[in-house]
Amino acid sequence: GLLEHEFARLLGLMRAAGERVEPTDVVGRVREQMHAYCDFAVANPGHYRLMLGAGPHRARAGERTGPLVEVIDALAVGFGRCERAGRPLRVDVQRAALLVFVGVHGRVALLHSNYSPENARSAKAFVDELISLVFA
C-alpha cells in the first residue's frame, strides 16, 4: 500500500544520501541520511504524518517490527560504522539511533506546525548538533 511504498522511498533516499558521502566520513554519512529524512518530511508533509501515525505501527509486546524499526535500524547501522571507525558513542548504537530519530522527528513535527524556509534550513543544523551529542 501507500505506507509501504513511502517507507521504501524514504529508506532509499536515506541510503542514497549516505552513499554520496565518502565512505571514510562515517559521521557525515549519518548526517546526510538524516538530512534526507528531513528533506523527505518537508517535501511530503501529508504522507509523512500518515507514515508516523500510531495506528498502522502498533506491535504486540516484545515485537520489533514495522517500517519505523527499519528507519531506526538503518540509523543504528550508521552509528555502528562510526564506532568501528573509532568514533565512540555515549550510549549503545540502538539507543543512539532512537535518540536521534525521536529528536529529528520532533523537530520535523515542530517545523510542520510552524513552517518557513528559515525554519526548514535550521532543521538541518539541529540534526547536525543532535547527532554530535551522541558521540563521546
Side-chain angles (χ1 to χ4, degrees), residues 37 40-41 44-53 104-105 108-109 112:
Y37 180 95
F40 176 90
N44 305 280
H47 285 184
Y48 181 80
R49 281 192 288 274
L50 283 173
M51 291 164 68
L52 278 288
V104 172
H105 171 60
V108 165
H112 283 162

Side-chain angles (χ1 to χ4, degrees), residues 17-32 78-87 135:
E19 289 170 358
R20 283 192 299 271
V21 176
E22 196 63 38
T24 55
D25 185 3
V26 289
V27 177
R29 290 180 81 180
V30 172
R31 283 191 181 117
E32 286 306 309
F79 282 128
R81 271 195 299 268
C82 292
E83 282 207 315
R84 288 189 300 280
R87 295 296 312 269
F135 289 99

Side-chain angles (χ1 to χ4, degrees), residues 8 12-13 55 65 80 94 96 114 121 130:
L13 291 168
T65 60
Q94 201 67 37
N114 187 25
R121 281 190 297 277
L130 181 60

Side-chain angles (χ1 to χ4, degrees), residues 11-130:
L11 286 163
L13 291 168
M14 290 174 65
R15 188 170 28 260
E19 289 170 358
R20 283 192 299 271
V21 176
E22 196 63 38
T24 55
D25 185 3
V26 289
V27 177
R29 290 180 81 180
V30 172
R31 283 191 181 117
E32 286 306 309
Q33 287 182 315
M34 294 315 290
H35 288 184
Y37 180 95
C38 286
D39 289 343
F40 176 90
V42 168
N44 305 280
H47 285 184
Y48 181 80
R49 281 192 288 274
L50 283 173
M51 291 164 68
L52 278 288
H57 309 298
R58 290 201 177 113
R60 289 187 286 280
E63 279 186 345
R64 283 189 81 251
T65 60
L68 277 182
V69 171
E70 291 178 47
V71 172
I72 294 166
D73 285 350
L75 196 48
V77 166
F79 282 128
R81 271 195 299 268
C82 292
E83 282 207 315
R84 288 189 300 280
R87 295 296 312 269
L89 299 166
R90 295 175 183 266
V91 293
D92 70 70
V93 295
Q94 201 67 37
R95 176 61 67 184
L98 186 59
L99 287 167
V100 169
F101 172 78
V102 169
V104 172
H105 171 60
R107 183 65 186 87
V108 165
L110 290 172
L111 179 60
H112 283 162
S113 67
N114 187 25
Y115 182 81
S116 75
E118 183 181 324
N119 282 346
R121 281 190 297 277
S122 72
K124 288 184 182 178
F126 175 89
V127 167
D128 293 348
E129 185 176 6
L130 181 60

